[in-house]
């Protein structure tokens, strides 16, 4: 009798066809990542060579190799101490913001879960403001205050959100609440501090690459060299948790340990970037969704990181050289462009419910 029951011919998919479907599905991420690398390279060199002070590719190579231009002796200072450090710092913090945002969005399975929304960036800002007010912190000390307080905020949110089920949504809601509280404390401190300190704190909180120098770049690069390899080495566990906690349990994965590991890694990525440049608004928030749409709905930490770097460098070029009223901190421009993206995501989420 069993032989009389046959599957419909159309429902039988040959193995060769399955392999072909998988192969074609795998090509798109590779092509998109290659295109993003090419675009990032183009944006990086456009940021260095173009703008108010243009440099030819030949002159740039001469300067980088240690030579000087006889007809433009100031070009070496402009390229090596202003334009190139600014582009390199934008590259590093953009990569970090993009990877951090995608990590939280994938881990918590919510496009609103980014350091901007869940209080990590606000915690870093609170640390920086406290450092400026009470210890006159600057440079590396200021960065350490920002990193330390962003970690404290993350630990606080983790403690408030702890539980067996629905941790992702609780983490986001608690993060929004803690972010509001940290923002209120920042506003109180700004109202009480001296005009000079308030000016320094406000400038830092707008997010700017004007602080770029090779010493700061070295510190950020060293920190990311320690964090990023760990993130990419463990990223398959992150994808397993994102598919579903029950499935991850069935695969033998310790879901709670994986979740907290990536929360710490995501906080460190966001904190290092924020400490280097201030909270550049919405880069972490929009990089993941943009990369996911380019790839066709799949999550990719690498594509998100590349997208973040492109956004930061391009936005800084526009904010510095192409605003008619004069240069602006890059965080103001990304904030202005990111707010509509947030509204659009909220509208889309409302339509889906």
């Amino acid at each position: 009798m069993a032989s009389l029951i046959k599957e419909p011919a159309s429902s039988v998919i040959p193995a060769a066809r399955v392999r072909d479907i998988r192969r074609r599905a795998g090509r798109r991420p590779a092509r998109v990542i290659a295109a993003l690398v090419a675009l990032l390279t183009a944006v990086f060199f456009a940021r260095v060579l173009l703008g108010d002070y243009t440099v030819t590719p030949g002159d740039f190579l001469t300067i980088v190799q240690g030579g000087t231009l006889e007809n433009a002796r100031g070009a070496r200072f402009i390229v090596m101490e202003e334009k190139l450090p600014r582009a390199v710092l934008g590259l590093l913090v953009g990569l970090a913001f993009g990877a951090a945002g995608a990590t939280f969005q994938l881990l918590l399975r919510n496009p609103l879960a980014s350091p901007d929304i869940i209080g990590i960036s606000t915690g870093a800002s609170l640390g920086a403001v406290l450092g400026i007010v009470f210890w006159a912190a600057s440079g590396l000390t200021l960065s350490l205050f920002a990193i330390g307080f962003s970690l404290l905020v993350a630990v606080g949110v983790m403690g408030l959100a702890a539980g067996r089920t629905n941790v992702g949504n609780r983490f986001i809601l608690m993060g929004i609440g803690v972010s509001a509280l940290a923002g209120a404390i920042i506003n109180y401190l700004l109202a009480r501090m001296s005009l000079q300190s308030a000016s320094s704190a406000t400038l830092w909180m707008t997010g700017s690459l004007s602080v770029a120098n090779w010493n700061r770049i070295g510190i950020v690069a060293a920190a990311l060299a320690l964090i990023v390899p760990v993130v990419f080495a463990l990223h398959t566990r992150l994808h397993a948790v994102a598919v579903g906690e029950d499935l991850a349990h069935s695969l033998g994965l310790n879901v709670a340990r994986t979740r907290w590991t990536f929360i710490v890694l995501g906080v460190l990525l966001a904190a290092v970037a924020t400490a280097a440049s201030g909270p550049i608004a919405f880069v972490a928030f929009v990089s993941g969704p943009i990369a996911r749409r380019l790839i066709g709905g799949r999550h990719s930490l690498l594509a998100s990181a590349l997208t973040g770097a492109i956004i930061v460098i391009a936005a800084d070029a526009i904010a510095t050289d192409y605003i008619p009223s004069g240069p602006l901190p890059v965080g103001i421009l990304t904030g202005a462009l990111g707010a509509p993206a947030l509204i659009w995501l909220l509208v889309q989420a409302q339509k889906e419910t």
Side-chain angles (χ1 to χ4, degrees), residues 22-328:
R22 288 180 175 175
R23 189 163 50 248
R24 280 187 292 173
R27 286 176 190 160
R28 181 164 178 173
R31 289 174 178 170
V32 170
I33 288 172
L36 289 173
V37 170
L39 180 58
L40 175 58
T41 304
V43 170
F44 181 89
F45 283 105
R47 176 70 187 94
V48 175
L49 301 179
L50 304 179
D52 286 345
Y53 189 92
T54 59
V55 182
T56 66
D59 290 343
F60 174 72
L61 289 176
T62 300
I63 292 170
V64 171
Q65 292 171 357
T68 57
L69 305 178
E70 293 300 328
N71 56 346
R73 293 183 177 276
R76 179 174 179 78
F77 177 84
I78 294 173
V79 171
M80 296 303 295
E81 303 300 328
E82 292 184 6
K83 303 188 81 169
L84 189 56
R86 200 160 176 145
V88 174
L89 186 62
L91 171 70
L92 294 176
V93 300
L95 290 172
F97 277 130
T103 297
F104 281 112
Q105 289 163 349
L106 186 56
L107 181 67
L108 303 178
R109 288 182 288 175
N110 192 317
L112 297 178
S114 83
D116 307 287
I117 307 296
I118 59 179
I120 307 303
S121 299
T122 313
S125 299
L126 175 59
V129 172
L130 287 171
I132 292 172
V133 172
F134 295 106
W135 292 277
S138 63
L140 178 61
T141 307
L142 185 63
S143 298
L144 292 176
F145 269 102
I147 293 174
F149 270 79
S150 61
L151 288 172
L152 281 177
V153 166
V155 169
V157 174
M158 288 162 62
L160 292 170
R164 290 184 177 276
T165 59
N166 208 16
V167 175
N169 287 338
R170 281 207 308 277
F171 192 94
I172 295 171
L173 292 174
M174 294 299 174
I176 293 173
V178 171
S179 178
L181 176 61
I185 297 173
I186 290 172
N187 289 331
Y188 172 79
L189 292 172
L190 287 175
R192 298 297 180 187
M193 67 177 61
S194 68
L195 187 60
Q196 183 178 359
S197 296
S199 177
S200 299
T202 303
L203 178 62
W204 188 89
M205 287 190 297
T206 57
S208 174
L209 299 180
S210 63
V211 295
N213 57 57
W214 293 113
N215 183 46
R216 186 180 295 260
I217 288 170
I219 295 171
V220 177
L224 294 182
L226 295 175
I227 302 168
V228 171
V230 179
V231 173
F232 281 95
L234 301 177
H235 80 283
T236 53
R237 301 182 185 183
L238 178 63
H239 285 276
V241 174
V243 172
E245 294 186 3
D246 292 337
L247 178 59
H249 275 300
S250 67
L251 295 174
L253 191 68
N254 187 323
V255 174
R257 183 186 302 168
T258 302
R259 182 188 299 127
W260 298 130
T261 298
F262 275 97
I263 285 176
V264 171
L265 291 172
V267 168
L268 288 175
L269 283 172
V272 168
T274 305
S277 63
I280 300 179
F282 288 116
V283 174
F285 176 71
V286 300
S287 297
I290 291 174
R292 195 161 59 250
R293 281 187 173 270
L294 291 175
I295 290 181
R298 299 174 62 178
H299 290 276
S300 170
L301 291 182
L302 179 56
S304 301
L306 293 170
T307 303
I310 292 169
I311 291 173
V312 171
I313 297 175
D316 183 57
I318 295 171
T320 303
D321 296 326
Y322 300 102
I323 299 294
S325 58
L328 287 175

Side-chain angles (χ1 to χ4, degrees), residues 112 282 285 336-350:
L112 297 178
F282 288 116
F285 176 71
L337 297 177
L342 172 61
I343 295 171
W344 181 80
L345 272 178
L346 292 173
V347 170
Q348 292 298 314
Q350 192 174 21

